[in-house]
């Protein structure tokens, strides 16, 4: 938790240093994030304090990092299977594909050094990352991890993050729903047809 807060703060400070965020807005944003226990990046975008496209272009220019249009990119299933849903959603990143014994991922905040090291240690592969719009990343996380019926067969076993602090829209709800429906099917409380029906209904409410 502390690591993520520091990484998000580095991101926000980068915006201030490059005149994409006013100092007064920075102070109020960090304070609000601490009070609400939310990401200042999420709050800044939500409150329209900075523009996602401008930020992305500036990050690319200053840090010499490539931008990937993930909404137009093919996402490999074998890449998705390497990263747990909660890890991806908590850190706002999406696996793209495996290439030359490296996992390619896309993220919005490039200051997540500790997250990348943690993931490399977990999957025993090197990570190469691209920049991408946060909104596109979140859409893909929802699509591939939470709104796909195939997710029912995959238990999320990554427990090193506190999901109560996820600020993204309804990801916690989907995560809990998937786990519950998996449990009901595995314990034979409901058969697979009933499970699929319940999952479809839960998607309608979201």
């Amino acid at each position: 938790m502390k690591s993520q807060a520091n990484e998000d703060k580095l991101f926000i400070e980068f915006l201030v240093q490059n005149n994409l965020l006013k100092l007064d807005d920075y102070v109020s944003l960090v304070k609000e994030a601490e009070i609400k226990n939310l990401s200042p990046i999420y709050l800044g975008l939500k409150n329209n304090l900075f523009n996602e496209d401008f930020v992305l272009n500036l990050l690319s220019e200053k840090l010499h990092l490539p931008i990937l249009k993930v909404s137009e990119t093919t996402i490999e299933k074998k890449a998705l299977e390497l990263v747990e849903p909660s890890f991806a959603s908590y850190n706002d990143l999406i696996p793209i594909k495996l290439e030359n014994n490296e996992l390619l991922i896309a993220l919005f905040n490039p200051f997540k050094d500790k997250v990348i090291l943690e993931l490399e240690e977990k999957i025993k592969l090197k990570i190469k990352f691209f920049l991408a719009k946060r909104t596109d990343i979140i859409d893909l996380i929802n699509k591939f991890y939470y709104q796909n019926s195939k997710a029912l067969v995959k238990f999320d076993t990554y427990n090193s993050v506190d999901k109560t602090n996820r600020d993204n829209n309804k990801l916690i709800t989907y995560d809990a729903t998937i786990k519950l429906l998996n449990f009901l099917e595995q314990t034979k409380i409901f058969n697979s047809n009933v499970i699929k029906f319940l999952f479809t209904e839960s998607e309608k409410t979201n």
Side-chain angles (χ1 to χ4, degrees):
M1 293 304 302
K2 187 175 181 180
S3 172
Q4 189 198 40
N6 289 337
E7 291 161 347
D8 287 353
K9 192 174 180 181
L10 284 173
F11 182 97
I12 299 300
E13 288 174 350
F14 173 86
L15 300 186
V16 175
Q17 292 165 4
N18 288 277
N19 302 313
L20 283 187
L21 183 67
K22 296 178 181 178
L23 184 59
D24 289 345
D25 288 335
Y26 164 81
V27 174
S28 60
L29 182 60
V30 171
K31 185 176 181 180
E32 182 182 1
E34 290 176 351
I35 292 172
K36 296 182 177 179
N37 203 20
L38 295 175
S39 164
I41 297 175
Y42 164 77
L43 288 174
L45 290 170
K46 181 182 177 183
N47 297 332
N48 296 314
L49 293 180
F50 44 84
N51 180 279
E52 191 172 17
D53 290 307
F54 288 161
V55 169
L56 205 61
N57 289 328
L58 181 65
L59 287 166
S60 178
E61 178 187 344
K62 295 290 186 179
L63 304 179
H64 307 290
L65 294 171
I67 296 174
L68 183 66
K69 292 185 177 180
V70 290
S71 59
E72 302 174 5
T73 301
T74 300
I75 309 298
E76 291 184 356
K77 181 180 178 182
K78 60 183 179 180
L80 290 167
E81 290 174 344
L82 287 171
V83 181
E84 294 289 348
S86 61
F87 188 92
S89 60
Y90 186 79
N91 292 294
D92 295 336
L93 62 85
I94 187 75
I96 304 298
K97 65 178 179 178
L98 283 167
E99 185 175 270
N100 299 325
N101 208 33
E102 290 183 325
L103 176 64
L104 276 56
I105 67 171
L107 43 71
F108 183 59
N109 181 1
F111 300 104
K112 289 184 173 289
D113 296 342
K114 291 184 179 179
V115 170
I116 292 172
L117 288 174
E118 181 181 355
L119 185 56
E120 285 182 334
E121 183 177 344
K122 182 178 174 61
I123 66 175
K124 308 304 180 186
L125 290 170
K126 285 292 183 182
I127 302 293
K128 180 179 179 180
F129 69 86
F130 297 87
L131 296 174
K133 292 179 64 173
R134 184 180 184 275
T135 49
D136 289 341
I137 292 171
I138 298 305
D139 285 344
L140 290 176
I141 289 172
N142 274 315
K143 176 181 178 180
F144 289 108
Y145 283 126
Y146 295 97
Q147 294 179 355
N148 188 331
S149 60
K150 291 181 180 179
L152 284 171
V153 302
K154 183 173 182 178
F155 244 110
D156 181 358
T157 57
Y158 197 89
N159 296 314
S160 72
V161 296
D162 181 3
K163 295 176 193 175
T164 60
N165 291 294
R166 275 300 301 150
D167 54 72
N168 182 55
N169 185 25
K170 299 180 181 176
L171 286 179
I172 296 174
T173 303
Y174 269 111
D175 202 16
T177 301
I178 291 169
K179 281 190 172 183
L180 175 60
L181 296 182
N182 264 292
F183 171 78
L184 293 176
E185 183 172 21
Q186 290 181 1
T187 55
K188 307 301 180 183
I189 294 176
F190 292 142
N191 64 38
S192 59
N193 289 331
V194 174
I195 294 296
K196 288 178 182 177
F197 170 77
L198 290 173
F199 188 80
T200 300
E201 291 302 305
S202 73
E203 283 188 319
K204 290 178 182 178
T205 63
N206 287 282

